[in-house]
Amino acid sequence: MGIVVQKYGGSSVADADGIKRVAQRIVNTRKQGHDVVVVVSAMGDTTDELRDLAEQVSPLPPPRELDMLLTAGERISMALVAMAIAQLGHKAQSFTGSQAGVITTGEHGKAKIQKITPGRIENAIADGAIAIVAGFQGVSEDTKDVTTLGRGASDTTAVALAAALGAEVCEIYSDVDGVFTADPRIVPTARKLDRISHEEMLEMAASGAKILHLRCVEYARRYNMPIHVRSSFSTKEGTWVLPAPSENEEAMEQAIISGVAHDRSEAKITVVGVPDKIGEAARIFQTLADAGVNIDMVVQNVSAAATARTDISFTLPREDGQSAMAALAKVESEVGYERLLFDDQIGKVSLIGAGMRSHPGITSKFFAALAGAGVNIEMISTSEIRISVIVDSADVDTAVQAAHTAFGLDADEVEAVVYGGTGR
Amino acid sequence: MGIVVQKYGGSSVADADGIKRVAQRIVNTRKQGHDVVVVVSAMGDTTDELRDLAEQVSPLPPPRELDMLLTAGERISMALVAMAIAQLGHKAQSFTGSQAGVITTGEHGKAKIQKITPGRIENAIADGAIAIVAGFQGVSEDTKDVTTLGRGASDTTAVALAAALGAEVCEIYSDVDGVFTADPRIVPTARKLDRISHEEMLEMAASGAKILHLRCVEYARRYNMPIHVRSSFSTKEGTWVLPAPSENEEAMEQAIISGVAHDRSEAKITVVGVPDKIGEAARIFQTLADAGVNIDMVVQNVSAAATARTDISFTLPREDGQSAMAALAKVESEVGYERLLFDDQIGKVSLIGAGMRSHPGITSKFFAALAGAGVNIEMISTSEIRISVIVDSADVDTAVQAAHTAFGLDADEVEAVVYGGTGR
């Protein structure tokens, strides 16, 4: 049997008991004959506590030092997991990101994995040991400094390592049973999906489903790596994230809609009264790009012929709101717009499903469901397998419930599940 | 001006306020024109907390993993100190033991420094930065695994780094004002020493004075590195530990006795009725050496001619008591002794002073003081600049006070001082 990579989030290793439970599960997998490589996050709230400590010392700490600080978190959890495995009579060795060969770019706090050279991991496996690897961290090729991959990126470490090692599967453990058709806190009748394609999972992650990190799914899709999303608190099968099935399989097995995702983390900016000339929109978005702001959805209203002016609305991560407004204010005279509007009372609701590719009428059914529930749509954006709308934040729950019901996703029975954060 | 190495113990960096205070002191030194390299311990009780966590997971954790775990402590404190310095507008970079080039042997938990290759530290200094280095840790040359140097060894890191960098001085900061003539908790009239020789400090450390780690003083003596022991809570001058003065200087400046040290961490084992034959004592101590037990003082009683048997007593670290007794029990028939006695109710009191070399009568004066105070002496051991006696543990305080007074060490006024642990 081949290599299994398992990733355990912070909630799974929150205390000594959790660590022992995780160790037992790892040993069980080993006993089934697999070589096991484990990626761990920091224990419980450790990362947040370290951030708090940094803030007490410096409101704007140097990114290199913040990475040095935060990487202590996984160091603690990985050593403890290795100890707990040894206590069960199995060989285990822990490795930092650097020791595991996770080579990254040099952007502290949001480094990207450039390559993985897992020589020490392979040696540990050859030596009969279970390798425990720190998630979320790596080492910069240029400066040899310790880097972090950004929040939630332990999932990415796990999938990238699985790809580099040629693993059979990457199991992502958290306190959630799998991927659901909607957030069960909003839709109690949401169902756990048995399988979902990389493509759909990508759209789910991009649309606000927090169960898997976006970059991790991108990585898995690129390398065709199966992911098994499951709970470390039960032995139930979770959700398999797999390469998309062929057309025929799809027609037979695939539901039209996989799920309804929502996202409350965005804000909307409207630039009112932009002169309707070629290049004005480009100038606005260049300004935002220069300020490092990531744009999500964009809508340009039809120009009122009388004024030859137009309104441009876009959504962006709420935390980028202040810097975006400041950047736009600086180019006010240059662009010649009339005023800026900022709205952080919005939410995004997305319908995801590869089946919609071949089924017409999905959009109208979705909009009809929202209209029937009294929800007003502010912006619309679509891809081949996703439709997203921006609504008032107060309407998000209603919209998610209405869409979930309209597309027949409601389960007959309510599953007992807590849909929480996944650690990182 | 040259390089100053400063070492801050755990009590000095116990919280965000402590870290900011330490950062300010570092920056002040920098402003005086020095290049500054800082060695830090883990914050407050972090190391003990991590040990507790390890114990919850495994009663006997693999040493490699314990080192991986414990080294997270300095990683946290060093990053925070670097952030606090940056916040004061100065450049700072933190370095792990491995990054700082602290190359050690492979014995986890008690590795020894083999060499220091501080290339990255020198580059940081050349770049105008203050370098913050994790104490207590290094990297094994053979396995490339992270090692720790053993409890209290951050002092050793600091002195070794100071020697490798050719620093002017190594300042060791703790919550104590300097080296005292005795523990002020026992002798309220103890005085702070302005200076003491490496040699005497070595005997003090070996005799139980906890202010400096033994290996650190050995290192300083070998490399003629001046140490300035001082408090991070005040700007007062502390105690300078310096190369021994020449004979003439010594006669003029040096007190006969530098101080009275005590040690409650030892136990005594007596092997009763050992056949008085050549090689029996050697066999006993070889047995103990094989069991990894460190022996301190040894006394062999005069043989009773009638029985041709003798008693051998020795002291050892109390925590080695069980393994020593077990090792000796195994060779009982081989050695043919009558029985073993174990006594952990002992204490060692030592008189230290380079002046005693040229002053006769010190020993008799010391013993007379103890006798006058009603203290019974169980064992005696002497070096050129030290006399140690083993007494009942209940008599330690009385013995220290009596010796301190007899040699005129009492101050006229009691200094306000807390004599606590120094972190590590």
Side-chain angles (χ1 to χ4, degrees):
Chain A
M1 274 187 272
I3 297 172
V4 171
V5 173
Q6 301 186 326
K7 181 260 170 176
Y8 293 93
S11 58
S12 300
V13 293
D15 53 22
D17 285 341
I19 284 168
K20 288 189 216 172
R21 195 184 59 240
V22 161
Q24 187 60 62
R25 187 179 276 271
I26 293 165
V27 166
N28 289 348
T29 308
R30 172 85 187 136
K31 280 182 182 164
Q32 287 161 20
H34 296 283
D35 287 324
V36 189
V37 174
V38 176
V39 174
V40 289
S41 299
M43 294 170 73
D45 300 325
T46 305
T47 305
D48 287 332
E49 285 162 16
L50 290 173
R51 275 184 205 277
D52 284 352
L53 212 45
E55 204 160 291
Q56 286 174 45
V57 166
S58 166
L60 218 79
R64 177 190 186 276
E65 301 304 325
L66 191 59
D67 278 359
M68 187 68 97
L69 177 73
L70 296 182
T71 48
E74 290 80 31
R75 191 180 196 88
I76 292 170
S77 57
M78 73 187 195
L80 291 170
V81 169
M83 290 176 193
I85 292 171
Q87 180 63 20
L88 295 173
H90 286 255
K91 258 167 116 170
Q93 285 203 311
S94 66
F95 298 94
T96 63
S98 168
Q99 290 175 336
V102 181
I103 313 295
T104 73
T105 58
E107 307 137 275
H108 287 290
K110 48 181 178 183
K112 286 183 183 59
I113 297 178
Q114 285 187 312
K115 64 179 173 202
I116 296 197
T117 53
R120 290 191 71 175
I121 307 299
E122 287 163 341
N123 289 345
I125 292 173
D127 196 34
I130 295 166
I132 317 295
V133 179
F136 173 65
Q137 57 179 249
V139 63
S140 154
E141 181 142 44
D142 296 338
T143 62
K144 309 295 174 211
D145 282 331
V146 170
T147 54
T148 65
L149 308 177
R151 208 148 247 259
S154 285
D155 291 355
T156 308
T157 304
V159 172
L161 200 54
L165 292 167
E168 284 176 2
V169 58
C170 180
E171 299 183 337
I172 307 269
Y173 287 90
S174 72
D175 53 1
V176 185
D177 283 338
V179 181
F180 280 73
T181 51
D183 184 339
R185 284 173 302 192
I186 293 179
V187 184
T189 54
R191 286 184 295 108
K192 189 185 75 188
L193 295 165
D194 293 329
R195 55 172 289 173
I196 184 171
S197 69
H198 284 132
E199 224 177 346
E200 288 165 298
M201 193 65 232
L202 206 56
E203 292 282 9
M204 291 278 271
S207 302
K210 291 186 181 63
I211 183 83
L212 283 182
H213 198 249
L214 183 60
R215 278 157 65 192
C216 138
V217 186
E218 284 172 346
Y219 230 105
R221 187 188 184 202
R222 194 182 325 153
Y223 291 98
N224 268 322
M225 176 56 58
I227 300 179
H228 189 184
V229 180
R230 56 198 304 198
S231 167
S232 70
F233 295 86
S234 85
T235 56
K236 275 190 283 192
E237 283 273 302
T239 301
W240 286 84
V241 186
L242 298 167
S246 70
E247 287 298 328
N248 285 349
E249 282 181 301
E250 196 170 324
M252 280 164 55
E253 297 183 6
Q254 191 86 7
I256 296 170
I257 299 299
S258 292
V260 184
H262 70 278
D263 186 357
R264 284 193 170 88
S265 70
E266 297 198 336
K268 184 176 76 168
I269 289 178
T270 303
V271 189
V272 179
V274 180
D276 195 7
K277 291 185 301 195
I278 287 167
E280 288 302 316
R283 191 179 302 189
I284 286 172
F285 289 106
Q286 186 58 50
T287 301
L288 295 167
D290 293 345
V293 174
N294 283 314
I295 302 302
D296 181 18
M297 291 165 62
V298 180
V299 169
Q300 179 163 355
N301 293 355
V302 177
S303 168
T307 60
R309 283 175 182 269
T310 182
D311 298 343
I312 295 176
S313 294
F314 59 90
T315 64
L316 73 174
R318 195 175 299 159
E319 67 262 29
D320 288 348
Q322 291 314 310
S323 47
M325 290 293 279
L328 290 174
K330 269 194 204 149
V331 295
E332 177 170 5
S333 59
E334 201 183 319
V335 175
Y337 61 79
E338 285 167 9
R339 65 181 191 279
L340 298 175
L341 301 176
F342 182 73
D343 182 1
D344 59 3
Q345 298 301 307
I346 63 161
K348 183 166 71 170
V349 176
S350 304
L351 199 65
I352 291 118
M356 71 172 72
R357 253 196 291 247
S358 49
H359 285 72
I362 300 292
T363 307
S364 61
K365 189 171 178 182
F366 182 33
F367 292 177
L370 298 186
V375 174
N376 187 42
I377 298 172
E378 298 184 19
M379 290 169 77
I380 300 168
S381 147
T382 61
S383 82
E384 223 188 334
I385 63 169
R386 176 187 50 79
I387 309 167
S388 297
V389 297
I390 296 295
V391 301
D392 191 292
S393 63
D395 289 339
V396 168
D397 289 10
T398 310
V400 171
Q401 287 153 358
H404 199 264
T405 302
F407 286 94
L409 297 172
D410 293 345
D412 299 332
E413 281 181 45
V414 174
E415 292 191 55
V417 63
V418 181
Y419 194 79
T422 64
R424 67 139 198 270
Chain B
M1 276 188 269
I3 297 172
V4 171
V5 173
Q6 301 186 326
K7 181 259 170 177
Y8 293 93
S11 57
S12 300
V13 293
D15 53 23
D17 285 342
I19 284 168
K20 289 189 216 171
R21 195 186 57 241
V22 161
Q24 187 61 62
R25 187 180 277 269
I26 294 166
V27 165
N28 290 348
T29 309
R30 173 85 185 135
K31 281 183 183 164
Q32 287 161 20
H34 297 284
D35 288 323
V36 188
V37 174
V38 177
V39 174
V40 289
S41 300
M43 294 170 75
D45 300 324
T46 305
T47 305
D48 288 332
E49 286 163 15
L50 290 174
R51 275 184 205 278
D52 285 352
L53 213 44
E55 205 160 291
Q56 286 174 46
V57 167
S58 168
L60 216 80
R64 177 190 187 274
E65 300 305 324
L66 191 58
D67 278 0
M68 188 67 98
L69 178 73
L70 296 181
T71 48
E74 290 80 31
R75 180 175 274 252
I76 293 170
S77 57
M78 76 187 195
L80 290 170
V81 169
M83 289 177 193
I85 292 172
Q87 181 62 20
L88 295 172
H90 286 255
K91 258 168 117 169
Q93 284 202 312
S94 66
F95 298 94
T96 64
S98 168
Q99 291 175 337
V102 181
I103 313 294
T104 73
T105 59
E107 308 138 277
H108 288 289
K110 48 183 177 183
K112 286 184 183 57
I113 297 178
Q114 286 188 311
K115 64 180 173 199
I116 297 198
T117 52
R120 289 189 71 174
I121 307 298
E122 287 164 339
N123 288 346
I125 293 173
D127 195 35
I130 295 165
I132 318 295
V133 179
F136 173 66
Q137 57 178 250
V139 64
S140 153
E141 181 143 43
D142 296 338
T143 62
K144 310 294 175 212
D145 282 332
V146 170
T147 54
T148 65
L149 308 177
R151 208 148 248 260
S154 284
D155 292 356
T156 309
T157 304
V159 172
L161 199 55
L165 292 167
E168 283 176 0
V169 59
C170 180
E171 299 183 337
I172 307 270
Y173 288 90
S174 72
D175 52 1
V176 185
D177 283 339
V179 181
F180 280 72
T181 52
D183 184 340
R185 284 172 302 191
I186 293 181
V187 183
T189 53
R191 285 183 296 108
K192 189 186 75 190
L193 295 164
D194 292 331
R195 55 172 289 175
I196 184 170
S197 70
H198 284 131
E199 226 176 346
E200 289 166 297
M201 194 65 232
L202 206 54
E203 293 282 9
M204 292 277 272
S207 303
K210 292 187 180 62
I211 183 86
L212 281 183
H213 197 249
L214 184 62
R215 278 157 66 192
C216 138
V217 186
E218 285 172 346
Y219 229 106
R221 187 191 184 199
R222 193 183 324 155
Y223 292 97
N224 268 321
M225 176 58 58
I227 299 178
H228 189 182
V229 179
R230 54 198 305 197
S231 167
S232 70
F233 295 86
S234 84
T235 55
K236 275 192 284 192
E237 282 273 302
T239 300
W240 285 85
V241 186
L242 298 168
S246 69
E247 287 296 328
N248 285 348
E249 281 180 303
E250 196 171 324
M252 280 163 55
E253 296 183 7
Q254 192 85 5
I256 296 171
I257 300 299
S258 292
V260 184
H262 71 279
D263 186 355
R264 285 192 170 89
S265 71
E266 297 198 337
K268 184 176 76 169
I269 289 178
T270 302
V271 188
V272 180
V274 180
D276 195 6
K277 291 185 301 196
I278 287 166
E280 289 301 318
R283 192 179 303 187
I284 286 172
F285 290 107
Q286 187 58 50
T287 300
L288 294 166
D290 292 346
V293 173
N294 283 314
I295 302 301
D296 182 17
M297 289 165 65
V298 180
V299 168
Q300 178 163 356
N301 293 355
V302 177
S303 167
T307 59
R309 284 177 180 268
T310 183
D311 299 344
I312 296 176
S313 295
F314 59 90
T315 63
L316 72 175
R318 193 173 301 159
E319 66 263 27
D320 288 348
Q322 291 313 311
S323 47
M325 289 294 278
L328 289 174
K330 270 193 204 152
V331 296
E332 177 170 4
S333 58
E334 200 183 320
V335 175
Y337 61 79
E338 286 165 8
R339 65 181 191 279
L340 298 174
L341 300 176
F342 182 73
D343 183 1
D344 60 1
Q345 299 299 307
I346 62 160
K348 184 166 71 168
V349 176
S350 304
L351 199 65
I352 290 119
M356 70 171 73
R357 253 197 290 248
S358 49
H359 285 73
I362 301 291
T363 307
S364 61
K365 190 172 177 181
F366 182 32
F367 292 176
L370 297 186
V375 174
N376 187 42
I377 298 172
E378 298 183 20
M379 291 170 77
I380 301 169
S381 147
T382 60
S383 82
E384 222 187 337
I385 63 169
R386 175 186 52 79
I387 308 166
S388 297
V389 297
I390 297 295
V391 301
D392 191 291
S393 63
D395 288 339
V396 168
D397 289 11
T398 310
V400 171
Q401 287 154 0
H404 199 265
T405 302
F407 287 93
L409 296 172
D410 293 347
D412 299 333
E413 281 180 45
V414 175
E415 291 190 55
V417 64
V418 181
Y419 193 78
T422 64
R424 65 141 198 268

